[in-house]
């Protein structure tokens, strides 16, 4: 959907205990917060489901110093049917393949209860502040992934462990291994953790977008431990 269509969605009337907010209010609050920083918004994508009752969006966020490999992405969600709170989660998008991953380090969720309109700007600004603080950490993480070579034996072990921690189901083991053994993108031909990470995210992007934050947070935890970043 384009933003105009999202803005046309009717917001249900509040009750004494439930105060839904318009989907576009979350979007514009985030845009205003980003406008106060040196960050700029790139490509955006907005979607509606359940007759407009649920919203999910993605925004690319770029620093002044461009990165050739990836950019930050903010995932937004909001509901009018009480299925989930308003929230933001941050992660990364890899340019060469449009693979998405999310990090559990930067996120917030605010239930649609009294004072949400008062609290929302503060929560969004806090999230943007965390994003700026963590930018260097994400660069450090990806550099460590690229610099850590890995053998087929280690890959097979990590793939099995990934199913144990909820990164993927047994059904996705063959696609992940295929992407590792025969990467479709030249950028991932190196036998390192970065290539394995993108083998996972290539397979995961065929699944549920709603499950992606939880799965890729677990993936970061597994691979951060392997490269010695968990501490």
């Amino acid at each position: 959907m384009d933003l105009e269509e999202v803005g046309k969605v009717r917001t249900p009337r509040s009750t004494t205990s439930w105060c839904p907010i318009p989907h576009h209010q979350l979007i514009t609050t985030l845009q205003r917060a980003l406008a106060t920083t040196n960050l700029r918004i790139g490509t955006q994508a907005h979607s509606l489901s359940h007759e407009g009752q649920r919203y999910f969006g993605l925004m690319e966020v770029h620093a002044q110093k461009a990165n050739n490999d990836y950019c930050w992405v903010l995932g937004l969600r909001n509901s009018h049917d009480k299925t989930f709170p308003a929230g933001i989660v941050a992660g990364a998008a890899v340019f060469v393949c449009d693979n998405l991953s999310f990090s559990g380090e930067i996120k917030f969720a605010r239930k649609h209860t009294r004072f949400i309109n008062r609290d929302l700007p503060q929560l969004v600004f806090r999230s943007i502040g965390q994003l700026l603080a963590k930018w260097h950490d994400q660069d450090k993480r990806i550099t460590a992934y690229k610099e850590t070579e890995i053998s087929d034996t280690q890959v097979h072990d990590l793939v099995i462990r990934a199913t144990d921690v909820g990164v993927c189901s047994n059904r996705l083991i063959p696609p992940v291994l295929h992407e590792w053994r025969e990467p479709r993108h030249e950028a991932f031909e190196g036998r390192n953790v970065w290539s394995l990470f993108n083998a996972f995210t290539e397979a995961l992007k065929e699944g549920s977008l709603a499950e992606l934050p939880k799965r890729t947070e677990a993936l970061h935890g597994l691979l951060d431990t392997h490269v010695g970043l968990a501490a």
Side-chain angles (χ1 to χ4, degrees):
M1 303 286 182
D2 59 34
L3 279 173
E4 184 177 353
E5 291 176 286
V6 175
K8 291 178 181 178
V9 175
R10 178 180 172 275
T11 305
R13 185 173 299 177
S14 300
T15 67
T16 54
S17 61
W18 180 56
C19 184
I21 62 169
H23 302 318
H24 67 83
Q25 181 178 343
L26 177 62
I27 300 168
T28 55
T29 301
L30 180 60
Q31 289 173 331
R32 290 191 191 109
L34 288 169
T36 65
T37 71
N38 291 323
L39 306 177
R40 65 177 178 84
I41 299 173
T43 302
Q44 301 181 49
H46 306 278
S47 63
L48 296 168
S49 67
H50 296 76
E51 299 181 344
Q53 296 299 295
R54 301 176 193 175
Y55 163 79
F56 191 89
L58 296 169
M59 286 186 188
E60 289 184 356
V61 181
H62 300 268
Q64 284 186 325
K65 183 179 179 182
N67 187 302
N68 294 326
D69 289 332
Y70 76 96
C71 69
W72 278 92
V73 167
L74 294 177
L76 300 79
R77 73 175 188 177
N78 188 49
S79 74
H80 288 165
D81 58 3
K82 304 182 182 181
T83 51
F84 46 76
I88 293 175
V89 63
V94 182
F95 293 134
V96 72
C97 55
D98 292 329
N99 287 354
L100 285 171
S101 62
F102 291 98
S103 167
E105 300 158 345
I106 306 166
K107 62 182 177 183
F108 88 82
R110 175 61 165 83
K111 293 182 178 180
H112 298 93
T113 54
R114 191 181 180 193
F115 302 128
I116 185 173
N117 289 295
R118 180 199 66 186
D119 296 342
L120 188 64
Q122 179 184 359
L123 291 169
V124 170
F125 272 89
R126 186 185 305 163
S127 297
I128 299 305
Q130 291 176 344
L131 177 66
L132 289 166
K134 292 291 184 181
W135 204 292
H136 174 71
D137 292 346
Q138 183 75 344
D139 288 340
K140 183 179 178 181
R141 165 185 276 155
I142 291 178
T143 297
Y145 285 6
K146 289 180 177 180
E147 292 178 348
T148 306
E149 294 185 357
I150 191 170
S151 67
D152 284 345
T153 300
Q154 291 173 309
V155 166
H156 295 162
D157 176 63
L158 285 168
V159 170
I160 297 301
R161 289 166 58 194
T163 65
D164 292 338
V165 298
V167 175
C168 63
S169 64
N170 291 340
R171 180 182 60 82
L172 286 181
I173 291 177
V176 172
L177 290 177
H178 178 74
E179 288 295 334
W180 166 254
R181 293 165 180 164
E182 299 178 29
R184 70 183 71 186
H185 303 287
E186 183 179 347
F188 308 133
E189 291 180 355
R191 301 295 79 186
N192 53 43
V193 174
W194 178 238
S195 298
L196 177 60
F197 174 79
N198 282 281
F200 273 106
T201 53
E202 187 72 37
L204 289 174
K205 74 181 182 183
E206 302 300 329
S208 166
L209 188 58
E211 290 291 315
L212 193 59
K214 180 176 67 176
R215 292 182 182 276
T216 53
E217 286 170 24
L219 177 61
H220 276 309
L222 180 67
L223 298 183
D224 285 0
T225 300
H226 181 80
V227 302
L229 290 177

